Amino acid sequence: MGDFFKRVHEIVKMIPPGAVMTYGQIAKIIGNPKASRAVGYALRSVPEGVELPWHRVVNAKGEISTRRTFQGDEDKLLQRILLESEGVIFQKSNRIDLKRYQMFF
DNA sequence: CAGCTGACGCCAT
DNA sequence: TATGGCGCCAGCT
């Protein structure tokens, strides 16, 4: 695993319960604003046993991004449940209000 | 070394 | 709002 992935993980670890950050936002913080897709790729490969709130990362529209794997839907549902358990409210559009939940440095 | 892929983002329509 | 198209980039093959 490269340095980029590690930095993504370090940042995600800092997101407190009930708050979220976006893929693009994390990419910018790392210093590579155009690597948003790679951020998602990094969350896909979280080491076993590593505690990391991956569910607190959503896309720029405030929605849970679509997985391309065979268990994608199940994974998205889990992410939503985890966020709701922390008090995050989803709108009818299946999005959350970023102005309210997004965390900034 | 040369593609390929995808938990993205942005802009045009 | 909702789509569609395209650029980007780290890792994998």
Side-chain angles (χ1 to χ4, degrees):
Chain A
M1 179 167 51
D3 211 58
F4 181 87
F5 276 28
K6 291 180 182 176
R7 297 198 57 187
V8 170
H9 295 168
E10 288 305 309
I11 292 173
V12 174
K13 281 182 185 174
M14 300 172 61
I15 309 175
V20 302
M21 284 181 75
T22 68
Y23 299 96
Q25 179 187 6
I26 293 173
K28 288 178 184 175
I29 292 173
I30 291 180
N32 200 337
K34 297 175 182 175
S36 53
R37 299 191 69 160
V39 171
Y41 201 81
L43 292 187
R44 198 180 64 178
S45 55
V46 177
E48 283 298 326
V50 176
E51 186 176 343
L52 194 151
W54 54 271
H55 61 283
R56 297 178 189 145
V57 182
V58 298
N59 67 30
K61 291 179 291 191
E63 59 188 16
I64 294 174
S65 284
T66 302
R67 273 68 162 170
R68 319 307 198 216
T69 55
F70 64 106
Q71 286 190 337
D73 291 340
E74 184 182 337
D75 216 28
K76 287 177 63 176
L77 178 60
L78 171 61
Q79 180 169 5
R80 177 171 177 143
I81 297 299
L82 289 173
L83 285 174
E84 291 180 327
S85 72
E86 296 179 350
V88 176
I89 306 298
F90 280 76
Q91 303 166 145
K92 288 197 65 177
S93 57
N94 288 321
R95 298 178 185 178
I96 65 176
D97 184 2
L98 285 180
K99 296 189 302 297
R100 179 177 176 184
Y101 303 109
Q102 185 172 15
M103 172 194 174
F104 294 98
F105 284 151

